[in-house]
Amino acid sequence: MFLTLQQDHLFEPWLNFKNPLVRQLAFSIASPDILKAYPDQFQIHQPFQLHSETVWQQYFHLYQSRLLYLDQHPHELEDFLNQLKSTRLGLRFEMFVWFWLRDSDYHPYELLGHSIQQIAGARTLGELDFLLKNTETQQIEHWEVALKYYLAECDFSFSHWYGLNRTDTLKRKLNHFTQKQFQFDQALDYPIQQRFVMLKGQLYVPLNTTIQQVPDWVNLQRRIGLWGYEFIPAVYTPHRLQRHEWLCPNDSPSSHAPQLWTDGLYCYQQQAEVQNFYMYRHRPLLQYRV
């Protein structure tokens, strides 16, 4: 029997919209960060914060009327996304965040800058994703945003979460945040007073994992996917997601049940009206010594 982790009553309002771009925009705002705390053994150089899932729920509710309008009249969002020529999911996610932050009537932030390069002479020191003024606290905030998909291996410890490119690990990404991306004390002549990571996406654990095996720093308010080398039984009507559907699947399946299984992300239903996610990987070829 194909298994899922028992995660009941998750907040997933992006599934209520019809337009694919609006579903992805709603996911970008409403979904919780994939982590709820610093992982064990993470060496902090420059501290940063993660927003709680209740904050993202609040921001979704503030934006809900706008999302409902865009679901019926998506042209403004479509035109904005058409500026993006890259197919990289991380940049697509950043565009959705940028679109939301530009809608200043729906959240407590003033957008001061986006993609701000920090330059010393002829040398580029780094770049800030977003510089914001929180109009409730009057604090200047530096946000770094990332969309990531990591697969757990071995004992699920901090150093054993890998991206599809195995050089992209959770450990490497968090180290880059704390050692590099949050090195600046000011930007655009504003003093930076708060630092936040907006780290969304999905984590995947091997088949037959129990909820007790998942580390306590993983946010279980976000649906956890599975990964493995096995095919999903046809009774669960699996279908392969297009790359942009990794943010949020379309309202209707965009492909048929696979005849030929290829590496990628699949959606299936084991319970009525619940979307589950499975990252299928071909088994690595065995290497024999002669």
Side-chain angles (χ1 to χ4, degrees):
M1 181 178 179
F2 216 74
L3 300 177
T4 61
L5 294 180
Q6 292 300 312
Q7 293 178 274
D8 299 325
H9 310 297
L10 294 181
F11 183 71
E12 298 178 322
W14 47 88
L15 301 178
N16 297 326
F17 299 96
K18 299 297 183 183
N19 182 276
L21 291 182
V22 177
R23 288 166 70 90
Q24 294 169 41
L25 173 61
F27 169 84
S28 299
I29 300 162
S31 64
D33 291 289
I34 57 177
L35 305 182
K36 70 175 183 180
Y38 292 143
D40 301 333
Q41 302 177 336
F42 174 47
Q43 301 296 315
I44 303 166
H45 177 72
Q46 178 62 258
F48 56 83
Q49 300 178 63
L50 295 159
H51 296 96
S52 70
E53 59 271 9
T54 55
V55 168
W56 294 122
Q57 290 179 21
Q58 174 190 352
Y59 291 166
F60 167 77
H61 289 306
L62 290 173
Y63 204 50
Q64 188 171 10
S65 62
R66 173 71 161 146
L67 290 166
L68 290 169
Y69 175 83
L70 290 169
D71 207 29
Q72 298 296 319
H73 309 88
H75 305 297
E76 182 182 353
L77 180 59
E78 291 170 349
D79 290 344
F80 188 80
L81 263 290
N82 283 338
Q83 299 176 72
L84 181 64
K85 306 307 179 185
S86 172
T87 59
R88 289 176 54 193
L89 276 183
L91 293 178
R92 186 180 183 88
F93 171 66
E94 186 175 329
M95 289 290 284
F96 284 121
V97 177
W98 188 15
F99 183 90
W100 168 61
L101 287 172
R102 290 169 71 251
D103 271 341
S104 57
D105 292 337
Y106 300 91
H107 55 71
Y109 295 102
E110 178 186 349
L111 178 59
L112 303 176
H114 169 240
S115 295
I116 305 162
Q117 289 194 336
Q118 297 286 74
I119 298 172
R123 189 162 64 100
T124 300
L125 303 177
E127 183 175 283
L128 288 72
D129 285 346
F130 294 100
L131 189 70
L132 308 170
K133 180 179 180 180
N134 187 319
T135 58
E136 293 179 341
T137 66
Q138 305 304 311
Q139 297 279 294
I140 303 300
E141 299 182 2
H142 168 197
W143 285 21
E144 288 295 315
V145 304
L147 184 76
K148 288 296 180 179
Y149 301 85
Y150 292 117
L151 282 61
E153 296 183 6
C154 303
D155 57 1
F156 305 157
S157 62
F158 176 41
S159 59
H160 289 124
W161 292 79
Y162 295 90
L164 301 186
N165 174 355
R166 290 184 66 83
T167 62
D168 176 21
T169 66
L170 175 61
K171 181 177 181 178
R172 180 175 180 176
K173 185 60 180 176
L174 293 188
N175 283 340
H176 187 61
F177 283 137
T178 192
Q179 295 172 9
K180 178 71 174 178
Q181 291 182 273
F182 288 118
Q183 62 177 301
F184 306 110
D185 295 322
Q186 65 82 36
L188 301 179
D189 296 325
Y190 292 97
I192 294 172
Q193 298 161 301
Q194 298 284 328
R195 296 170 176 85
F196 286 92
V197 164
M198 187 177 182
L199 182 58
K200 303 197 176 187
Q202 192 161 42
L203 301 177
Y204 302 85
V205 296
L207 288 171
N208 302 314
T209 297
T210 65
I211 204 75
Q212 291 76 20
Q213 292 174 273
V214 179
D216 59 7
W217 40 264
V218 169
N219 193 345
L220 294 178
Q221 297 303 310
R222 172 74 183 108
R223 188 170 299 282
I224 306 297
L226 300 175
W227 76 271
Y229 307 119
E230 310 299 328
F231 300 153
I232 302 175
V235 67
Y236 300 128
T237 61
H239 66 277
R240 191 175 190 273
L241 298 179
Q242 302 178 62
R243 184 73 169 174
H244 63 264
E245 289 185 276
W246 288 27
L247 282 97
C248 179
N250 293 348
D251 185 46
S252 299
S254 58
S255 65
H256 300 293
Q259 299 295 317
L260 177 67
W261 281 77
T262 58
D263 283 353
L265 183 58
Y266 291 77
C267 186
Y268 69 98
Q269 286 192 327
Q270 189 162 327
Q271 304 172 30
E273 300 181 357
V274 175
Q275 290 185 327
N276 299 294
F277 298 94
Y278 180 61
M279 189 71 76
Y280 172 74
R281 310 300 291 163
H282 276 105
R283 290 188 182 276
L285 296 176
L286 294 177
Q287 305 251 341
Y288 293 98
R289 293 184 180 180
V290 295

